[in-house]
């Protein structure tokens, strides 16, 4: 079993839809959780991060971590065509630990 | 402030040829990374350098060598390219956000095809 599992999609939704992206993980030492967004033919960029369990909201984006289930989610409200990208989850135990990335979910938001 | 830059952007090699991918960052970061990204495989760490003068293997180091030339520059060398090394290569550097949480800054990538 890979340390981080992420459904690669692709996921296609109409503009204005609520999008849910998810990752599961197996390493209980992970405590920092991140979502990176990668536009086509570009490098990934950090979108959001959370520490341990709970929710974090930033505009239309909400990141959720459930450590008891080893499950993290990214919700996008009122999705826009400009949200079309690949979303990668990433996590680490912190400090000197390297990031472990999911495979990424390709999202397409249709006007 | 250019961030992380990579050269070249595109490259086609024949099997057995060698080449060096260049990476530089102007953010004064200590740690730098090389990843490859393949369809269905996600980002996989090839090598990293926690600080100037040190390098360590990542998940998929075979067939690659690295050099941390100075604090700014971290190069990746393919000594004898193979078709399995066809991929998009990303360089990244790391900066602290808070506590044990770090953000990685990625370059624009190098698209390499080995025929």
């Amino acid at each position: 079993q890979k340390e981080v599992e992420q459904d690669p999609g692709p996921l296609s939704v109409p503009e204005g839809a609520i999008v849910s992206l998810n990752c599961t993980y197996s390493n209980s030492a992970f405590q920092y959780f991140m979502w990176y967004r990668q536009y086509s033919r570009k490098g990934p960029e950090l979108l959001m991060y959370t520490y341990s369990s709970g929710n974090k909201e930033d505009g239309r984006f909400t990141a959720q971590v459930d450590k008891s289930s080893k499950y993290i989610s990214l919700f996008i409200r009122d999705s826009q065509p400009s949200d079309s990208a690949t979303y990668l989850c990433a996590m680490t135990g912190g400090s000197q630990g390297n990031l472990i990335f999911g495979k990424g979910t390709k999202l397409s938001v249709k006007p | 402030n250019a961030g992380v830059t990579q050269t070249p952007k595109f490259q086609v090699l024949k099997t057995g040829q060698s080449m060096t991918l260049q990476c530089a960052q102007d953010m004064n970061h200590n740690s730098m990374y090389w990843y490859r990204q393949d369809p269905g495989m996600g980002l996989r760490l090839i090598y990293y350098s926690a600080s100037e003068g040190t390098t360590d293997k990542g998940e998929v180091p075979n067939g690659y060598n690295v050099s941390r030339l100075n604090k700014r520059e971290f190069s990746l060398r393919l000594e004898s390219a193979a078709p399995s090394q066809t991929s998009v290569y990303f360089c990244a550097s790391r900066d602290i956000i808070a506590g044990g949480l770090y953000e990685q800054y990625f370059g624009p990538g190098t698209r390499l095809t080995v025929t």
Side-chain angles (χ1 to χ4, degrees), chain B residues 1 14 16 19-20 33 36 45 54 58 62 66-67 74 77 80 86 95-96 98 100 114:
Chain B
N1 191 338
K14 292 189 185 331
M19 77 162 295
T20 299
Y33 303 80
R36 60 178 290 174
L45 182 63
T54 68
N62 290 346
V66 290
S67 294
F74 189 36
R77 183 160 178 83
S80 179
T86 293
D95 191 23
I96 189 168
V114 183

Side-chain angles (χ1 to χ4, degrees), chain A residues 66-84:
Chain A
D66 181 349
K67 289 194 77 179
S68 62
S69 302
K70 296 191 178 69
Y71 188 87
I72 70 170
S73 301
L74 178 70
F75 297 97
I76 308 174
R77 290 184 300 279
D78 187 25
S79 56
Q80 302 295 308
S82 59
D83 296 327
S84 298

Side-chain angles (χ1 to χ4, degrees), chain B residues 65-110:
Chain B
N65 284 302
V66 290
S67 294
R68 184 73 184 268
L69 304 168
N70 47 55
K71 192 171 186 179
R72 289 187 66 248
E73 298 172 287
F74 189 36
S75 63
L76 179 72
R77 183 160 178 83
L78 287 70
E79 291 291 352
S80 179
S84 61
Q85 294 178 304
T86 293
S87 187
V88 182
Y89 291 86
F90 288 101
C91 178
S93 65
R94 185 177 87 163
D95 191 23
I96 189 168
I97 297 176
L101 179 60
Y102 292 79
E103 176 177 358
Q104 290 200 358
Y105 294 80
F106 286 84
T110 294

Side-chain angles (χ1 to χ4, degrees), chain A residues 2 10 12 15 18 21 27 31-32 35-36 38-39 41 51 62 64 79 83-84 86 92 99-100 102 104-106 108:
Chain A
K2 292 272 293 178
S12 182
E15 183 175 353
I18 296 174
L21 305 168
N27 189 341
Q31 54 181 334
Y32 295 100
W35 288 94
Y36 280 77
Q38 184 178 20
Y39 289 114
R41 295 184 173 266
Y51 170 66
T62 299
Q64 199 170 73
S79 56
D83 296 327
S84 298
T86 296
T92 177
L99 280 178
I100 307 299
T105 300
K106 187 171 184 177
S108 178

